[in-house]
């Protein structure tokens, strides 16, 4: 960045110096031209007032060559015929009526111009005045003297350019360092929130970078905790399965205990399989690898199927399940909606009291569809309510493990809700139960 900025500053400085010098030369040329024209005008008026060339047709034809700075005098009659010229043979010269300065002098009394002379093949400054006898007196001077001056000035111009460019190099180095230094200091200490941003234009950018940096650190910490929790959660059922299998393998269990050990192995294997499925599901939601297929779904019908499927599990704990509400449509992925309903209803059964109930409601409010799952279970203390949607977070760890919970159900629910642009609410009171409510945005047609 520093090198690029330095190059751009030098290029800008070089361009500025060149343009300044060119502008100065143009101004000088303008002043030079104005001065030459002023001198020619003074000479023309002088000859006009002296009436020296009033009888030019009777004057002998002469040719004067007094060097590059010589003044050329030409007299032209009303028909454009050259009567007198100090730079060439007048009788051999072509008609001059079409010359701009001469034509202008005939029309207005005076005329001027700068062009290449067809007679002398040189660039000349011209000034013409109309005499009292109707002829036109024109004086001219070679313009090559200006370029000669420019050629003489070229070494000085180059010297000035080099001096200014060297000065620009030093200034560019200073400004580049002073501009980049605060940014480099900020980059080296980006994680320090107390470090003040020197350029206010960079404040939103720095805030965004710091936020992303914090998010990355937080994400890394969450992943680290997730890995540790997964390792721990997988280790527990695997250890139990390995231990019971080893007892059976070495004949240390009689027929009665063998059946009990086999039941424990089956229970822990089921818990292990459930845990792995939840981890895979959560990983897919995290990485958005699953291709979602959004379609118009009847959420009430999906809830009805879920309640029918879990009725048997609920009956084992003497829990009644009830579906309320009416048919309501949502724009969602069917598989994820089934996963959402299953996790919410399964949690409501798992953390309920024997003889309790689970009420599933699907209905509409204004233009929004909502899903509510209410249980009469153990409830969640206020200090835990903000964390129950975290991975592997359990309010009652002993009960969760006893019922086979993985601690990932509500984390999956939160991801599914987020992917569908819905809103998630929870109302819970210890000893009285919990209600989780999902509000979906207005249906897409």
């Amino acid at each position: 960045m520093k090198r690029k900025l330095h190059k751009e500053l030098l290029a800008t400085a070089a361009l500025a110096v060149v343009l300044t010098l060119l502008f100065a030369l143009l101004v000088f040329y303008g002043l030079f031209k104005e001065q030459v024209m002023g001198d020619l005008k003074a000479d023309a008026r002088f000859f006009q007032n002296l009436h020296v060339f009033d009888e030019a047709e009777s004057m002998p034809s002469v040719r004067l060559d007094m060097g590059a700075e010589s003044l050329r005098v030409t007299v032209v009659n009303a028909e454009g015929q050259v009567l007198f010229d100090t730079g060439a043979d007048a009788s051999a010269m072509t008609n001059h009526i079409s010359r701009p300065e001469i034509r202008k002098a005939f029309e207005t009394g005076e005329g001027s111009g700068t062009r290449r002379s067809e007679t002398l093949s040189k660039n000349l400054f011209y000034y013409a005045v109309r005499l009292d006898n109707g002829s036109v007196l024109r004086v001219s001077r070679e313009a090559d003297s200006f370029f000669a001056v420019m050629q003489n000035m070229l070494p000085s111009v180059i010297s000035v350019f080099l001096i200014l460019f060297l000065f620009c190099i030093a200034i560019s180095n200073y400004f580049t360092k002073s501009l980049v230094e605060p940014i480099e200091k900020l980059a080296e200490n980006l994680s320090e929130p107390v470090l003040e941003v020197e350029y206010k234009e960079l404040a939103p950018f720095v805030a965004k970078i710091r936020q992303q940096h914090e998010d990355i650190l937080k994400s890394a910490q969450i992943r680290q905790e997730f890995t540790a929790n997964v390792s721990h959660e997988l280790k527990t059922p695997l250890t139990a399965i390995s231990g019971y299998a080893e007892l059976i393998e070495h004949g240390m269990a009689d027929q009665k205990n063998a059946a009990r050990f086999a039941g424990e192995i089956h229970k822990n294997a089921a818990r292990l399989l459930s845990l792995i499925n939840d981890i895979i599901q959560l990983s897919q939601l995290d990485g958005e690898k699953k291709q979602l297929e959004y379609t118009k779904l009847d959420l009430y019908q999906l809830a009805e199927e879920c309640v029918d499927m879990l009725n048997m599990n609920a009956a084992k704990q003497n829990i009644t399940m009830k579906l309320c509400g009416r048919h309501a449509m949502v724009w969602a992925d069917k598989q994820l909606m089934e996963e959402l309903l299953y996790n919410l209803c399964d949690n409501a059964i798992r953390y309920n009291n024997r003889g309790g109930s689970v009420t599933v409601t699907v209905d509409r409010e204004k233009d929004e569809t909502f899903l509510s799952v209410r249980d009469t279970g153990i409830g969640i203390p206020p200090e835990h309510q903000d964390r129950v949607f975290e991975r592997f977070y359990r309010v009652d760890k002993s009960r969760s493990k006893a019922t086979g919970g993985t601690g990932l159900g509500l984390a999956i629910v939160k991801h599914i809700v987020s992917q569908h642009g819905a809103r998630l609410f929870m109302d819970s009171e210890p000893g009285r139960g919990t209600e989780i409510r999902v509000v979906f945005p207005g249906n897409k047609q």
Side-chain angles (χ1 to χ4, degrees):
M1 177 182 175
K2 187 182 293 186
R3 181 176 296 179
K4 183 179 180 181
L5 184 61
H6 183 61
K7 287 181 179 179
E8 290 180 353
L9 285 175
L10 283 181
T12 303
L15 181 62
V17 170
V18 169
L19 291 177
T20 301
L21 291 176
L22 287 176
F23 179 74
L25 290 176
L26 289 173
V27 171
F28 178 80
Y29 173 76
L31 293 174
F32 174 79
K33 181 179 179 180
E34 185 179 350
Q35 181 179 354
V36 171
M37 284 298 183
D39 291 342
L40 289 176
K41 181 178 181 180
D43 292 337
R45 294 298 182 187
F46 175 75
F47 291 135
Q48 182 186 33
N49 293 332
L50 286 179
H51 303 284
V52 175
F53 296 100
D54 287 353
E55 303 296 331
E57 64 274 8
S58 61
M59 295 176 66
S61 178
V62 297
R63 180 170 181 173
L64 302 176
D65 188 3
M66 297 182 292
E69 298 295 330
S70 63
L71 182 69
R72 179 186 175 191
V73 180
T74 306
V75 179
V76 180
N77 64 15
E79 288 74 29
Q81 180 183 356
V82 179
L83 302 177
F84 177 83
D85 192 280
T86 60
D89 184 4
S91 60
M93 295 175 66
T94 60
N95 192 288
H96 275 42
I97 195 65
S98 61
R99 302 297 194 270
E101 68 280 356
I102 293 176
R103 187 172 65 251
K104 187 72 173 176
F106 277 124
E107 293 174 357
T108 63
E110 60 181 357
S112 62
T114 305
R115 58 182 174 80
R116 187 171 181 81
S117 170
E118 296 178 3
T119 304
L120 301 180
S121 297
K122 294 180 180 180
N123 293 321
L124 299 177
F125 289 111
Y126 294 99
Y127 193 88
V129 294
R130 189 175 59 218
L131 301 177
D132 293 339
N133 62 5
S135 299
V136 167
L137 171 71
R138 184 185 70 180
V139 292
S140 59
R141 192 184 299 275
E142 290 186 22
D144 293 345
S145 58
F146 167 73
F147 297 104
V149 173
M150 293 299 100
Q151 187 175 1
N152 292 332
M153 288 181 62
L154 189 60
S156 301
V157 170
I158 294 175
S159 299
V160 171
F161 174 80
L162 291 175
I163 292 172
L164 289 176
F165 190 69
L166 290 174
F167 177 73
C168 289
I169 290 176
I171 294 295
S172 174
N173 282 328
Y174 171 76
F175 280 116
T176 300
K177 185 177 180 181
S178 62
L179 283 170
V180 175
E181 188 176 3
I183 299 176
E184 291 178 339
K185 183 179 178 182
L186 186 64
E188 292 172 359
N189 303 275
L190 194 60
S191 58
E192 297 181 13
V194 295
L195 187 64
E196 185 178 354
V197 181
E198 188 163 335
Y199 304 120
K200 63 179 182 179
E201 293 82 3
L202 291 178
F205 174 75
V206 172
K208 185 67 175 178
I209 293 294
R210 282 175 174 169
Q211 183 61 47
Q212 290 179 343
H213 182 66
E214 291 175 4
D215 291 343
I216 290 171
L217 292 178
K218 186 177 179 180
S219 178
Q221 184 179 0
I222 290 174
R223 289 183 180 275
Q224 186 177 7
E225 292 176 357
F226 180 66
T227 302
N229 287 331
V230 167
S231 300
H232 175 73
E233 294 293 335
L234 291 176
K235 183 178 180 181
T236 302
L238 284 173
T239 301
I241 291 171
S242 177
Y244 287 124
E246 187 177 4
L247 290 174
I248 295 173
E249 180 187 14
H250 290 87
M252 298 176 65
D254 54 24
Q255 186 175 0
K256 180 181 178 181
N257 284 329
R260 183 172 65 85
F261 292 166
E264 290 294 332
I265 290 173
H266 180 267
K267 184 178 75 173
N268 281 280
R271 180 165 177 260
L272 185 61
L273 182 61
S274 177
L275 183 62
I276 291 172
N277 286 334
D278 282 351
I279 291 171
I280 292 173
Q281 176 72 17
L282 198 56
S283 297
Q284 288 177 339
L285 291 171
D286 271 343
E288 297 183 358
K289 295 178 181 178
K290 176 180 171 58
Q291 185 67 33
L292 301 183
E293 296 181 3
Y294 288 93
T295 185
K296 199 171 183 181
L297 301 173
D298 186 345
L299 189 60
Y300 184 89
Q301 183 180 342
L302 293 178
E304 188 175 30
E305 293 171 0
C306 181
V307 169
D308 290 341
M309 179 177 62
L310 291 175
N311 256 326
M312 186 177 293
N313 289 344
K316 290 179 181 178
Q317 299 185 45
N318 196 25
I319 294 172
T320 58
M321 295 193 70
K322 182 171 62 173
L323 178 62
C324 300
R326 54 177 168 162
H327 293 275
M329 308 304 291
V330 292
W331 188 262
D333 179 88
K334 183 177 180 182
Q335 185 178 344
L336 291 186
M337 283 300 99
E338 290 173 344
E339 191 78 25
L340 174 74
L341 283 161
Y342 177 84
N343 280 301
L344 288 177
C345 293
D346 184 60
N347 260 29
I349 295 170
R350 196 182 302 277
Y351 298 101
N352 213 322
N353 298 313
R354 293 191 65 85
S357 64
V358 174
T359 303
V360 181
T361 305
V362 176
D363 210 335
R364 291 184 61 80
E365 283 183 351
K366 297 181 181 178
D367 62 339
E368 296 180 323
T369 298
F370 72 88
L371 165 68
S372 168
V373 179
R374 177 187 292 275
D375 64 60
T376 57
I378 59 175
I380 303 171
E383 65 271 17
H384 295 284
Q385 291 182 10
D386 291 337
R387 301 194 61 189
V388 292
F389 293 98
E390 296 178 9
R391 302 168 187 186
F392 295 112
Y393 189 83
R394 298 182 179 93
V395 177
D396 188 343
K397 294 183 180 181
S398 60
R399 174 158 184 162
S400 179
K401 291 185 177 181
T403 58
T406 63
L408 294 174
L410 291 181
I412 293 173
V413 166
K414 182 179 179 181
H415 272 275
I416 294 173
V417 168
S418 176
Q419 288 199 349
H420 286 78
R423 306 190 303 277
L424 185 63
F425 304 95
M426 184 179 65
D427 181 21
S428 184
E429 187 178 343
R432 300 194 64 178
T434 301
E435 179 189 11
I436 295 181
R437 186 183 181 96
V438 181
V439 181
F440 296 88
N443 294 334
K444 296 181 180 180
Q445 300 300 324

